Amino acid sequence: MMDKRDKVGAAASSPMEMGSRDGDDSSSSSSMRTVETFLRLLPVALCVVALVVMLKNSQTNDFGSVSYSDLGAFKYLVHANGICAGYSLLSAIFAAMPRPSTMSRAWTFFFLDQVLTYMMLAAGAVSTEVLYLAYDGDVAVAWSAACGSFGGFCHKATASVAMTFVVVTCYAALSLLSSYRLFSKYDAPIDYPGKTIEIAAFQG
């Protein structure tokens, strides 16, 4: 009799427990979607500002003139920020939609987030190298420092590069989030306690 009552009680309580778990999962999914949407919208503003600052970055004085278009690294930075702004806006719209996450959608976000992370990291890295040479020069190759003569140009370029690295930080977090969302869909390996792995012993 006690066994039957226990079974009935367990059966009666199980729907409540399942409902509670479903509510927790829904709340966790909603908060994760909010965080993801914010992390995707923030780079839109940062990339646009970094792009505009670099596009308008030119200076003319008694020493000559210099523009961002004179340096390949800065042109790459402008193009990378433009691509990143467009992708960030589109992905934020898709991420904000409360639709079930499919495996193909998870793989797409994972792959594109990785591509954007490394693309922006490369843009920031090569631009930082150019800025380093512009500030300090390189005596070994007779490259003199240029920021002493074009200080305004260097300050604007530094601001653009700094915002680019903030975008890299956002996309590093998004890469972790999208990888977690993807690989959490896979089941853990099943452990068979009765089976052991046999290793053949080879004698020489």
Side-chain angles (χ1 to χ4, degrees):
M1 291 293 292
M2 290 296 294
D3 292 340
K4 289 182 179 180
R5 289 174 183 171
D6 292 341
K7 289 179 180 178
V8 172
S13 62
S14 58
M16 295 178 63
E17 293 175 355
M18 291 175 62
S20 177
R21 283 195 295 269
D22 291 341
D24 293 342
D25 293 341
S26 177
S27 176
S28 176
S29 176
S30 177
S31 60
M32 184 178 292
R33 186 167 62 247
T34 302
V35 172
E36 181 181 3
T37 303
F38 172 76
L39 286 174
R40 293 186 184 280
L41 284 176
L42 181 59
V44 176
L46 290 171
C47 287
V48 170
V49 174
L51 184 150
V52 171
V53 168
M54 189 62 80
L55 280 176
K56 294 185 176 181
N57 193 14
S58 62
Q59 185 176 357
T60 302
N61 55 27
D62 295 337
F63 298 98
S65 63
V66 63
S67 173
Y68 86 95
S69 58
D70 298 330
L71 299 165
F74 290 167
K75 288 195 291 185
Y76 172 59
L77 187 77
V78 168
H79 293 139
N81 275 295
I83 295 172
C84 183
Y87 169 74
S88 298
L89 181 59
L90 290 175
S91 63
I93 294 172
F94 280 104
M97 294 180 180
R99 66 172 76 180
S101 179
T102 61
M103 187 64 76
S104 59
R105 183 182 179 185
W107 269 111
T108 302
F109 272 115
F110 171 75
F111 175 74
L112 292 178
D113 287 347
Q114 296 289 325
V115 171
L116 265 292
T117 301
Y118 288 110
M119 182 185 74
M120 296 304 293
L121 180 61
V126 296
S127 299
T128 299
E129 182 180 6
V130 171
L131 279 175
Y132 173 78
L133 293 173
Y135 275 106
D136 296 335
D138 192 343
V139 179
V141 295
W143 191 324
S144 60
C147 287
S149 304
F150 300 96
F153 176 84
C154 291
H155 294 329
K156 289 182 179 180
T158 302
S160 181
V161 172
M163 284 183 279
T164 300
F165 276 111
V166 176
V167 173
V168 171
T169 304
C170 291
Y171 265 94
L174 283 170
S175 295
L176 292 175
L177 188 62
S178 58
S179 61
Y180 168 77
R181 179 169 291 162
L182 171 64
F183 294 112
S184 63
K185 291 181 176 296
Y186 290 96
D187 294 330
I190 301 175
D191 185 19
Y192 295 96
K195 292 187 176 182
T196 57
I197 299 175
E198 295 182 359
I199 302 176
F202 294 94
Q203 297 180 356

